[in-house]
Amino acid sequence: MQAKSTLWEASRLSVAPMMDWTDSACRVFHRALSRRALLYTEMVTAPALVRGGATHLLRHDPCEHPVALQLGGSDPRELAEAARMGAGAGFDEIDLNVGCPSDRVKSGCFGAVLMRSPDLVADCVAAMRAAVDVPVTVKCRIGVDDQAPEAVLPDFLARMQAAGAAHVIVHARKAWLQGLSPKENRDVPPLDYDLVRDMRAAFPDLRLSINGGVQSLDEVEAFLREGFDGVMVGRAAYHRPFDILGRADARLWGEGHAPTREEAVRAMLPFIEDHLAAGGRLHQVTRHMLGLFAGRPGARRWRQILSDGATRSDAGPELVEAALAAVAPAEAEEEAVRA
């Protein structure tokens, strides 16, 4: 378990919890690029852990720390037990999802729909806090459907602070639970950074991070200069991991050594070998690595070799080596042109 000061330092940059993307293999890859950023699991539902016994969802590699478990649910007692299980499994933080707009979470009465029930969310946070020693945090939207965010969000944050939430991450968009798909909810509702900035000023004693639409480290640094405690990046960190995570440690934490793309790939090879030895398939790991060379010479060949070959039953680390070898000439040619 990370010390709280270390965890807060790590949260200057975090990678958003993303369903079907930020599994353990993804997080190990992201950790190969950044030693400092805070990583999050996919959302894990409290009923799956408490009633379903799905403890396999808590498995993670020791290298992933600092790493937070995001929970979904709306029953305070069940969330408290799930939080205990997560803390017992070694997670550094337990986060409550109050932002996901998918049909599955709406039908289960958790996720963004809970923005309509701030008292219930506060009860959940208080119960989780009483159950664990690690920080309990909340990731939310600025509102849902026809709510007025300028009225809803201050009240919601005040309740989270009173309930003892250690940190709130605000996705600066509304969620439309009727009429928009989960994918559309990531792009269609307009971003309202100014409202979240107002909340930063209104709640100076609350740790507050901003999320939504952040595309570059320049934007991350700008938000940090404005006084936000952290910035959470989602799809940009997944699709262009080197641009965000590979450069983050040097720029945000002053680390002397930044890994090269090749070093990150080679750092993954022992994990890949262990994954295969345990019965896994290569594509379960390499699908998260396809964007590593985004914007670089040879990126298309890298993606093609891994996409075409990694699903074969006999695919192994040699395919990753072959993909890396295919990128090297293009990288060398560009360096020669620069020289």
Side-chain angles (χ1 to χ4, degrees):
M1 184 175 69
Q2 299 284 318
K4 187 177 291 187
S5 59
T6 302
L7 188 63
W8 292 159
E9 185 67 17
S11 66
R12 286 168 57 80
L13 174 67
S14 57
V15 179
M18 293 176 279
M19 293 299 292
D20 300 321
W21 286 4
T22 52
D23 61 15
S24 184
C26 175
R27 298 190 303 267
V28 169
F29 172 54
H30 286 174
R31 186 58 72 216
L33 291 166
S34 171
R35 293 183 296 182
R36 303 294 297 271
L38 177 60
L39 306 180
Y40 281 75
T41 68
E42 303 169 89
M43 184 188 67
V44 176
T45 69
L49 292 176
V50 177
R51 286 183 260 152
T55 55
H56 64 281
L57 298 174
L58 299 177
R59 294 176 191 155
H60 60 282
D61 192 280
C63 79
E64 295 175 32
H65 293 277
V67 59
L69 169 68
Q70 188 184 67
L71 292 176
S74 58
D75 181 286
R77 286 178 295 182
E78 197 164 57
L79 280 164
E81 179 57 29
R84 271 191 290 269
M85 295 170 71
F91 286 97
D92 301 299
E93 172 189 306
I94 310 296
D95 182 72
L96 178 61
N97 183 320
V98 191
C100 183
S102 77
D103 292 337
R104 184 161 71 91
V105 299
K106 281 187 292 183
S107 64
C109 193
F110 51 92
V113 71
L114 287 174
M115 293 296 297
R116 296 174 178 159
S117 306
D119 285 338
L120 175 58
V121 179
D123 288 344
C124 291
V125 170
M128 294 164 70
R129 274 208 67 222
V132 299
D133 292 329
V134 299
V136 172
T137 66
V138 176
K139 185 174 187 290
C140 68
R141 293 280 183 135
I142 61 173
V144 295
D145 296 335
D146 293 323
Q147 288 182 329
E150 65 275 10
V152 168
L153 189 57
D155 177 69
F156 182 85
L157 293 180
R159 291 172 191 267
M160 296 307 101
Q161 187 172 35
H167 190 176
V168 180
I169 305 100
V170 181
H171 185 156
R173 301 182 199 269
K174 263 190 177 184
W176 285 96
L177 304 181
Q178 302 294 330
L180 291 182
S181 69
K183 182 178 185 299
E184 289 169 328
N185 263 295
R186 293 192 293 267
D187 295 300
V188 175
L191 288 159
D192 192 347
Y193 291 146
D194 285 341
L195 176 60
V196 189
R197 290 184 176 107
D198 290 344
M199 297 303 98
R200 171 67 293 167
F203 294 89
D205 298 326
L206 175 65
R207 290 191 60 82
L208 196 65
S209 287
I210 193 165
N211 167 236
V214 179
Q215 296 294 317
S216 69
L217 282 180
D218 288 343
E219 293 174 72
V220 171
E221 290 179 316
F223 280 125
L224 292 174
R225 285 194 298 270
E226 289 183 33
F228 283 99
D229 295 291
V231 182
M232 178 177 277
V233 183
R235 286 167 289 167
Y238 188 86
H239 292 303
R240 294 182 286 105
F242 190 83
D243 292 345
I244 304 295
L245 294 168
R247 304 183 191 279
D249 290 6
R251 289 183 58 172
L252 302 184
W253 290 283
E255 295 279 347
H257 174 73
T260 65
R261 291 174 176 84
E262 180 178 353
E263 287 172 340
V265 172
R266 296 201 177 282
M268 289 299 294
L269 294 178
F271 177 82
I272 288 172
E273 290 172 354
D274 290 345
H275 180 76
L276 296 175
R281 301 287 287 272
L282 181 63
H283 73 91
Q284 294 168 327
V285 180
T286 56
R287 71 187 183 98
H288 302 301
M289 302 169 63
L290 297 179
L292 179 60
F293 289 89
R296 300 290 297 174
R300 181 178 299 177
R301 186 64 178 142
W302 164 262
R303 292 193 305 270
Q304 181 183 41
I305 291 172
L306 292 182
S307 297
D308 292 347
T311 56
R312 295 197 315 260
S313 60
D314 62 343
E318 66 282 351
L319 182 74
V320 181
E321 295 274 14
L324 192 58
V327 173
E331 288 268 278
E333 182 178 342
E334 184 184 61
E335 290 300 323
V337 170
R338 285 180 178 175

